[in-house]
Amino acid sequence: MAIDDADFDHFVSLVYDAALDSDLWPRMLSGLAARTGAMGAVLIRQNEETGEGQGIRTNVDPEATDLYYGYFATRNALLSSDNAREVLRRWTPTILTDEHKLPKQALMRTEYYNDFMQRFDIHSVLMIRLAVIGMDTVVINLTRPANRDQFDAPEIKFAGRVHPHLIRAFDLGQKLAAARKVADDLAAILDRSLHGLFLVDGDGRVRHANPAGQALIAEPGGLCLIAGRLSACRMDTARQL
């Protein structure tokens, strides 16, 4: 399907919005599926050695996710290898279809196709590789049923066009999530302290006050907040602070 520049720019904005707000990943995946003529889309993070993982999906049967990680992740004919570490050493962020990995007729003879893909009306897969994290690979899988054509040049071209943005957005989302976790952990430590503690920015605005600090602000004549900045209630003390 043809994607004009305005629609492409709109979709790229959604990609980066998802990096900032992980709740938008399903909406972004839905937009990606619509623009590639896919039935469903799922972002999969999977350990290549154990098959364990997790995913974010849109228009994909929840049972498929449970069954995949429960059994078929280690029997995926498109991924299987006797040496996961060697696979990861050669792994690159690229775009593939199932036919790049295995001829369709060979795929259709596998347990994976007959007992998993067919069960959920999946016949063709477009794989957009994003990242390797330790032993995990991160891939977006787009799927089509048997009554649709195989993913072809136009869909692969669009995926290639948006691919760098998807990689950057995922990486940015991971960094932001790590930063938020550090901030949350620090806040939890501060909150357990019996001392009044405040985190302030360069302008003196309070970004976090633990319960003891909030109690100090509530007491008359001591500390207070003025336009969000930590201050003292008395002018001479405020100047010193």
Side-chain angles (χ1 to χ4, degrees):
M1 82 180 0
I3 305 295
D4 61 32
D5 289 342
D7 185 51
F8 180 80
D9 291 343
H10 174 76
F11 179 68
V12 169
S13 295
L14 178 57
V15 169
Y16 288 108
D17 286 344
L20 301 176
D21 182 356
S22 60
D23 289 341
L24 293 177
W25 273 97
R27 179 180 164 195
M28 188 281 292
L29 290 172
S30 180
L32 181 59
R35 288 166 176 83
T36 54
M39 174 185 70
V42 57
L43 172 70
I44 296 176
R45 177 171 175 172
Q46 177 178 326
N47 185 291
E48 291 297 313
E49 206 162 42
T50 66
E52 296 175 350
Q54 55 190 321
I56 300 172
R57 62 185 182 273
T58 181
N59 200 29
V60 173
D61 190 333
E63 185 183 356
T65 304
D66 296 337
L67 189 60
Y68 180 77
Y69 292 122
Y71 181 81
F72 283 102
T74 56
R75 294 164 175 82
N76 187 339
L78 302 175
L79 301 177
S80 59
S81 171
D82 294 332
N83 191 335
R85 294 185 184 277
E86 177 63 19
V87 169
L88 291 175
R89 188 183 68 81
R90 294 183 283 104
W91 197 95
T92 57
T94 189
I95 297 165
L96 303 164
T97 69
D98 58 271
E99 291 188 325
H100 287 120
K101 301 286 287 185
L102 195 66
K104 183 70 75 177
Q105 291 303 315
L107 173 62
M108 292 173 67
R109 290 192 294 269
T110 65
E111 175 192 17
Y112 181 68
Y113 180 89
N114 287 282
D115 293 349
F116 179 78
M117 292 178 67
Q118 272 198 316
R119 178 171 177 174
F120 298 103
D121 200 15
I122 299 170
H123 183 71
S124 303
V125 185
L126 178 63
M127 296 163 275
I128 305 175
R129 292 177 168 183
L130 301 184
V132 171
I133 305 173
M135 291 297 294
D136 296 355
T137 56
V138 181
V139 181
I140 294 175
N141 282 349
L142 303 170
T143 64
R144 280 182 175 176
N147 62 359
R148 296 284 306 280
D149 292 336
Q150 173 79 7
F151 289 102
D152 208 346
E155 298 81 33
I156 295 172
K157 181 179 179 180
F158 175 77
R161 191 178 176 193
V162 77
H163 192 204
H165 301 289
L166 292 168
I167 291 173
R168 284 196 288 269
F170 178 80
D171 183 58
L172 176 60
Q174 291 293 294
K175 290 176 179 176
L176 290 174
R180 291 187 186 109
K181 184 178 186 307
V182 170
D184 291 345
D185 290 346
L186 178 57
I189 292 170
L190 296 180
D191 287 350
R192 289 195 295 268
S193 175
L194 299 178
H195 302 287
L197 300 173
F198 302 88
L199 288 178
V200 299
D201 62 18
D203 294 325
R205 290 186 177 85
V206 174
R207 295 306 183 191
H208 182 79
N210 72 348
Q214 295 173 24
L216 287 176
I217 293 175
E219 293 178 1
L223 294 172
C224 61
L225 293 179
I226 299 177
R229 291 181 172 88
L230 186 64
S231 184
C233 295
R234 291 176 50 186
M235 188 172 295
D236 57 338
T237 310
R239 282 194 296 267
Q240 294 176 17
L241 181 63

